Amino acid sequence: MDSLRRWEAAGNIKAIRTPSGQRRFDMTSYVPAEKPDESTKAISKKLKTTDEESTLRQIAKGVVQYAQQMQKLGLFPYPAALQLGVEKLQAICVMQNKIQPQGVPDFLTNWGQHPIKDWTIEIDFPEDWKDAQFIEDHKPSGFCIELDGSYISEAERIQTEVMEEVFRKSAQYPNLYVEFRRLIITCPVITKGERDIKSVLQLKPFQKVLEDSYEEAPASYKKQGKFYCCGHCGGLMHRTADNQLKCENKHCAKEKKSPVPFQCDKDDEVLWLKKGLRYFIHRPGCAELRIEKRLQELGLEVTLYPDFDKYDLHIVFPDNTVWAVDVKFWESAYNLAKKVDKPIPRLIHQPYHEAFFVFADEIREYGDEYIQEFVNRCSVKLKKSQVMFEQIFLKAVEKKLNNCQK
């Protein structure tokens, strides 16, 4: 928007005032400024990627804020981040003499529901963003949630509260943290009565944190008076515009598992995990528990979240070789790579020999390009053999186990 105002002041574009005093710029009146010298062009090119990426991140932040606002308060005014992000996008359109979104409503109902690659403008963005869109089923997409990052903060805040409680009471309750994680992974939907019982009988030291981890399930998600859970991940399903049930994790649809009616007394309140925990704890957690189960079936010694969550799975083979595993479930390999800024830490008492980043099989369709993007973009130096999808990793485990038994 600042660029548009500068162009108006310089006479490069015309603007009119609405009755309310707002500017409206006429993109057809834009006249390019004098050609900059080579040094100016070089600076502009250098800053281009960062500036455009920050615009998309700002839009993502605004879309998430707007969704939160509508869900909790039902307020219509658009968040400042969303308005500013769309205005910056309009400025990019004007510079390229392309059709621009006609304000925030047009972005939410049109642009945001199409992949970035289909937009009318040329934007320099990471390769794995090209098929991403900001809005799916009238909600922020998984890509949008990752790009915004605020729900990561929510999950990290609850994680911090849990860890502080664990450190204070670890001597008395050594397995408390694992029990807490296992509960929120296996019970993304729960009745208030059941949660309260578990918080008193199983996780009393975490009672306050457990209460803070859940919120009331939206009544609008009911179909014919009942809540339904995803047959694959167990998450709460919502109703689409044509009254079909759909899991918010779009990857569950390809598993083709039938919805499961959630059983509860009619007077009991139904709760579901808060958004950050659903996305960044429950979603990868399903893969973590699947891997744990398979490793146990193979007769291996496996520990979940060792040493207060240094990583996700600690595996000991018969020859005492130790593998460390961090399980990830992100839509964008680029966004994930920017988040991973240090190697998987080693345990003091039993350091690993090899460490792996393992991606949940729900996103295996993203293929080798996803893995290569993560390896290329990650600031941690990684070999491609350290990064793989879930089933490939389990095959590597079986191969290693067979070698130990020879």
Side-chain angles (χ1 to χ4, degrees), residues 369-385:
E369 293 85 359
Y370 185 97
I371 291 174
Q372 194 62 56
E373 178 79 355
F374 177 74
V375 172
N376 290 345
R377 300 282 190 172
C378 191
S379 60
V380 178
K381 189 174 180 180
L382 294 168
K383 297 179 292 185
K384 197 171 178 181
S385 59

Side-chain angles (χ1 to χ4, degrees), residues 120-317:
T120 63
I121 53 176
E122 295 180 8
I123 298 183
D124 190 2
F125 53 79
E127 178 66 18
D128 75 346
W129 288 13
K130 67 180 187 299
D131 294 315
Q133 56 194 68
F134 284 78
I135 299 167
E136 294 173 348
D137 292 325
H138 308 290
K139 298 177 177 62
S141 66
F143 167 79
C144 185
I145 289 169
E146 293 172 4
L147 205 58
D148 162 49
S150 63
Y151 284 117
I152 304 176
S153 301
E154 177 184 66
E156 288 176 343
R157 174 185 62 80
I158 292 178
Q159 281 276 81
T160 299
E161 291 178 6
V162 171
M163 294 310 298
E164 288 174 352
E165 202 67 32
V166 165
F167 282 123
R168 283 197 293 268
K169 301 179 178 179
S170 59
Q172 187 177 358
Y173 306 99
N175 297 316
L176 205 59
Y177 177 72
V178 176
E179 290 178 21
F180 175 83
R181 281 284 286 267
R182 196 182 291 277
L183 174 65
I184 62 176
I185 293 168
T186 56
C187 299
V189 185
I190 195 171
T191 64
K192 184 177 183 299
E194 186 180 1
R195 184 205 60 184
D196 292 346
I197 290 171
K198 288 182 181 295
S199 67
V200 171
L201 298 182
Q202 293 177 238
L203 295 162
K204 189 170 180 58
F206 287 169
Q207 186 171 357
K208 183 179 181 302
V209 181
L210 192 60
E211 290 173 358
D212 190 37
S213 299
Y214 289 88
E215 59 189 359
E216 184 178 356
S220 61
Y221 280 32
K222 289 182 179 179
K223 184 174 183 179
Q224 297 177 341
K226 289 184 179 181
F227 286 112
Y228 287 81
C229 295
C230 174
H232 178 64
C233 75
L236 193 64
M237 305 188 82
H238 65 271
R239 288 186 297 132
T240 60
D242 58 354
N243 205 34
Q244 299 300 306
L245 290 168
K246 188 174 183 179
C247 182
E248 70 174 349
N249 180 352
K250 66 180 182 181
H251 299 283
C252 291
K254 61 178 174 282
E255 304 297 333
K256 300 185 185 304
K257 295 185 179 178
S258 300
V260 179
F262 182 73
Q263 303 297 329
C264 65
D265 294 335
K266 64 177 183 178
D267 296 326
D268 206 348
E269 184 178 348
V270 177
L271 308 174
W272 68 333
L273 285 174
K274 289 184 175 178
K275 185 88 170 183
L277 294 177
R278 296 199 307 272
Y279 200 92
F280 295 104
I281 301 295
H282 170 256
R283 187 174 291 203
C286 292
E288 292 160 7
L289 297 190
R290 284 198 304 264
I291 295 172
E292 178 203 33
K293 180 181 178 181
R294 179 56 184 150
L295 296 176
Q296 289 173 340
E297 289 172 350
L298 292 171
L300 287 167
E301 179 186 335
V302 55
T303 304
L304 274 178
Y305 319 121
D307 201 9
F308 306 118
D309 202 24
K310 283 288 194 302
Y311 43 87
D312 295 324
L313 293 132
H314 180 85
I315 308 164
V316 182
F317 289 89

